[in-house]
Amino acid sequence: RARAGCSRVGGRLALEDGKSRWISVSDKHSPYGYISPQLRGQSGYTLDGRAEAVNVPDDAASDAIAYDGRAVLDASGSATAELSMTVSGGRASAFRQFLVPAAESKRVDLFEREVMSSTLGNCRVVGYKLANLKNYDSPLTVRLSAKCTDMFTRAGDGVLLRALFPIDVAQLAALPEREAPYLRRQTFIGNIHYEVIVPESLKMPASLPAVTMGQGLFKVDVRDRVEGHAIIIDRAVEMPIARIAP
């Protein structure tokens, strides 16, 4: 058994074929074989009388989120948007804990507060579909239809598009220097591919800046681009749970 604090408990099951399987036992919505980030890489011991030392596997591939979809802007800055979000691992478990017992009105509120506000901004969800809500061993997919406002603002002769799908890495360098370690408590492994259709009346930029940065396990790859009258948001992010020394 391995333990982090008092709420994260994992165990290693011995299988009939001589192999073993690590599982989390503190979350009923987790997929079979899932280990929470707080337990990965930790040391533990067997409870079979031998007290054999063991290490929990360090595999974050199951904690992932992917976005795709399309938004069509009008000349006022409003948009009709479709957004598909597929989540697995701990993120899917967190969503299921709320969605499974929640009434429809509560679900819409969650989608607007936790999904739309952090991706497309000020949006009103007008419809949704769920796939694999109670199939815990498969990724959870949420498909949202929304009406969005203030997707861009006028700036002189041009317009400024709202920052969509913001990647917040500023917290890692909030101070010029630190005297204490920084603890990142959540893993984020994400892929974003989203298309924003811009009205023909608006002038498009010639190109968008591409950025690739990273150190160790932290990686951010921004490949945003312009294709005709569409802005393609294309990004990949890996930010695992970590203890970062000063």
Side-chain angles (χ1 to χ4, degrees), residues 108-129:
V108 170
D109 179 66
L110 174 73
F111 297 145
E112 292 179 344
R113 185 181 68 252
E114 300 294 336
V115 180
M116 304 306 292
S117 65
S118 63
T119 55
L120 300 180
N122 186 21
C123 299
R124 177 173 59 88
V125 172
V126 296
Y128 71 88
K129 293 182 180 179

Side-chain angles (χ1 to χ4, degrees), residues 1-2 6 26 31 41 46 77-78 86 98 102 105 123 130 149 155-156 163 174 177 197 201 231 236 244:
R1 183 176 68 174
C6 298
S26 55
T46 62
S78 298
T86 300
F98 183 89
S105 60
C123 299
L130 301 174
T149 59
E177 59 183 40
I197 307 299
S201 60
I231 293 176
I244 304 171

Side-chain angles (χ1 to χ4, degrees), residues 52-81:
E52 179 184 356
V54 294
N55 290 316
V56 182
D58 187 6
D59 179 10
S62 59
D63 282 308
I65 183 168
Y67 298 102
D68 65 73
R70 189 173 192 253
V72 180
L73 293 177
D74 62 26
S76 71
S78 298
T80 299

Side-chain angles (χ1 to χ4, degrees), residues 65-71 81-87 115-116 119-120 140-145 165 190-196 232-235:
I65 183 168
Y67 298 102
D68 65 73
R70 189 173 192 253
E82 300 289 334
L83 177 65
S84 176
M85 178 185 72
T86 300
V87 288
V115 180
M116 304 306 292
T119 55
L120 300 180
L140 170 67
T141 297
V142 181
R143 295 182 176 88
L144 302 173
S145 300
F165 300 93
N191 287 279
I192 304 164
H193 190 275
Y194 201 80
E195 181 180 20
V196 180
I232 308 300
I233 300 173
D234 188 2
R235 303 169 184 172

Side-chain angles (χ1 to χ4, degrees), residues 164 207-211 222-226 231-235:
L164 307 178
S207 63
L208 296 174
V211 178
V222 178
R223 304 177 295 267
D224 297 352
R225 58 191 181 274
V226 176
I231 293 176
I232 308 300
I233 300 173
D234 188 2
R235 303 169 184 172

